[in-house]
Amino acid sequence: MVTIFTMQEGLRNKIAKEIFFLLIAFFTVSILVFSLSSFSSGNIYYFILGESADSTRIAEFEDDEPFLLSYFEFLKDFFTLDWGENLQGYSILDLVRERSAVTLEIMLITLIISIPLSVVLSCLSIRKEHGLLDRATDLAMLTVFSLPSFSIAFFLILVFSFYIPVFPISGYISMETSISGNLRTVFLPSLALSVMHTSLYVRVLKKSLSREMGKNYIRGAIARGKRADYIVFSEALRPASVSLIALSGQSASTLIAGSAVTETVFSIPGLGSLIVSAAMQRDVKTATIILMLVAIAVSVIGVASRIICLAVDPRGVGNE
């Protein structure tokens, strides 16, 4: 009972510490984004006063407004969703809401494909280390990992849009218009991201499985005559999956950055392509909001993954 209570107390302390560092990270990123935006070609005070503000009012605001006060005004407008309009006159809130749904759909499909595929490939190849399947998997994953993400996207377009015309080259159909059409338009972008992340996940998970297979409890299971499939999937996978969960959280920023390239290649109207177009048009206001949202998303996902790791493997609760 004392041990269980100590572990629960340690888990609560870990979660509280993770949330504390999450808040610190958010305020640090928000200050950096605010400061950089202030010195950019666009002016951050347009974010606070609106695009319709005249130059006299902006000059007064710049001269009279202290940095901390204008920073808190910036945070207030951000959290109250008072984002105004972009340079083209469209509501930034509506744009982000529409584009976020598209990007989240692609990211969800990517994880649905990449994580189970990584688990299956890793477990099958680790049953016989240095065997034919193990070496073939290593070669394939190393080849994919060495390629830039856009080259994989172009390869998939070449195969599945030209030689085997199954999926459209570009464009997006919403789920409200057609479910089948929506899946056809998001499958190739999701597959391109899945291939890249599977190569990374497999390499990490295989190393963790290899370490677990050398431990005493696995040797005991082998000595008792248990099948290799049962040992890998039932005994070694759970403790080894901690590294995969941690990596999935840490690769959230990579997934978001990859979605920007992939959405641009496939002409998908997602959040990634929106920040690319905002940067090209020097739309500082829109870019600032998206950067803040991405920072929050990456931080929250990272903290959530570490908390899940502690739940899956409580032995790490007391380790610092």
Side-chain angles (χ1 to χ4, degrees):
M1 288 294 295
V2 175
T3 304
I4 295 175
F5 177 78
T6 302
M7 291 181 64
Q8 291 177 345
E9 185 69 23
L11 182 59
R12 285 195 293 268
N13 292 337
K14 281 276 189 177
I15 293 174
K17 186 181 293 184
E18 293 289 349
I19 294 175
F20 172 74
F21 283 115
L22 170 64
L23 295 175
I24 295 296
F26 168 74
F27 281 108
T28 302
V29 170
S30 64
I31 290 174
L32 288 174
V33 170
F34 178 80
S35 301
L36 290 174
S37 301
S38 299
F39 292 106
S40 63
S41 58
N43 200 309
I44 194 62
Y45 298 108
Y46 280 108
F47 183 93
I48 301 170
L49 298 176
E51 296 292 338
S52 60
D54 55 54
S55 57
T56 304
R57 177 68 182 118
I58 293 173
E60 293 175 356
F61 196 87
E62 288 178 338
D63 293 336
D64 300 335
E65 197 76 14
F67 178 83
L68 281 179
L69 185 57
S70 58
Y71 167 71
F72 286 122
E73 287 283 342
F74 165 73
L75 287 183
K76 179 183 73 68
D77 290 341
F78 178 79
F79 285 113
T80 57
L81 305 182
D82 186 14
W83 297 348
E85 299 177 346
N86 66 357
L87 295 181
Q88 287 74 39
Y90 296 104
S91 170
I92 297 178
L93 178 60
D94 293 338
L95 280 175
V96 170
R97 186 186 294 118
E98 294 170 4
R99 299 293 191 97
S100 298
V102 178
T103 299
L104 287 174
E105 181 185 5
I106 292 176
M107 291 175 63
L108 180 61
I109 296 175
T110 299
L111 294 176
I112 290 174
I113 295 173
S114 60
I115 292 180
L117 183 60
S118 303
V119 171
V120 171
L121 287 176
S122 300
C123 290
L124 290 179
S125 60
I126 205 66
R127 291 185 307 168
K128 187 176 181 181
E129 287 192 85
H130 309 299
L132 180 61
L133 181 59
D134 186 26
R135 293 181 182 276
T137 302
D138 284 341
L139 179 61
M141 296 302 104
L142 181 61
T143 302
V144 170
F145 191 71
S146 303
L147 296 174
S149 58
F150 66 86
S151 63
I152 296 176
F154 285 130
F155 175 77
L156 293 175
I157 291 174
L158 187 65
V159 174
F160 294 106
S161 297
F162 283 99
Y163 293 114
I164 309 174
V166 180
F167 300 102
I169 298 175
S170 62
Y172 175 78
I173 298 176
S174 65
M175 194 169 292
E176 291 80 7
T177 303
S178 172
I179 296 178
S180 60
N182 172 262
L183 294 177
R184 290 181 70 246
T185 54
V186 300
F187 180 76
L188 279 188
S190 302
L191 183 60
L193 291 172
S194 299
V195 170
M196 290 295 299
H197 283 78
T198 299
S199 65
L200 178 60
Y201 295 159
V202 167
R203 289 167 63 86
V204 172
L205 185 57
K206 279 185 61 179
K207 289 183 179 179
S208 297
L209 284 171
S210 180
R211 286 195 298 268
E212 290 297 323
M213 294 297 289
K215 292 184 177 179
N216 291 333
Y217 76 96
I218 295 294
R219 293 173 182 169
I222 295 174
R224 290 192 296 271
K226 291 186 178 181
R227 293 177 53 196
D229 293 342
Y230 175 85
I231 293 173
V232 173
F233 283 96
S234 300
E235 302 285 345
L237 180 59
R238 178 174 177 175
S241 64
V242 173
S243 60
L244 178 61
I245 296 171
L247 181 62
S248 301
Q250 293 172 1
S251 63
S253 58
T254 307
L255 188 59
I256 294 172
S259 68
V261 177
T262 305
E263 288 172 6
T264 303
V265 171
F266 287 95
S267 299
I268 300 293
L271 202 61
S273 59
L274 179 61
I275 193 171
V276 171
S277 62
M280 297 293 290
Q281 298 168 4
R282 297 179 180 243
D283 189 352
V284 179
K285 190 176 181 181
T286 303
T288 300
I289 292 170
I290 298 176
L291 286 175
M292 291 284 289
L293 292 173
V294 170
I296 293 173
V298 171
S299 300
V300 170
I301 293 172
V303 170
S305 67
R306 289 192 288 273
I307 293 174
I308 294 173
C309 288
L310 293 175
V312 171
D313 187 10
R315 293 173 299 177
V317 169
N319 298 332
E320 295 295 339

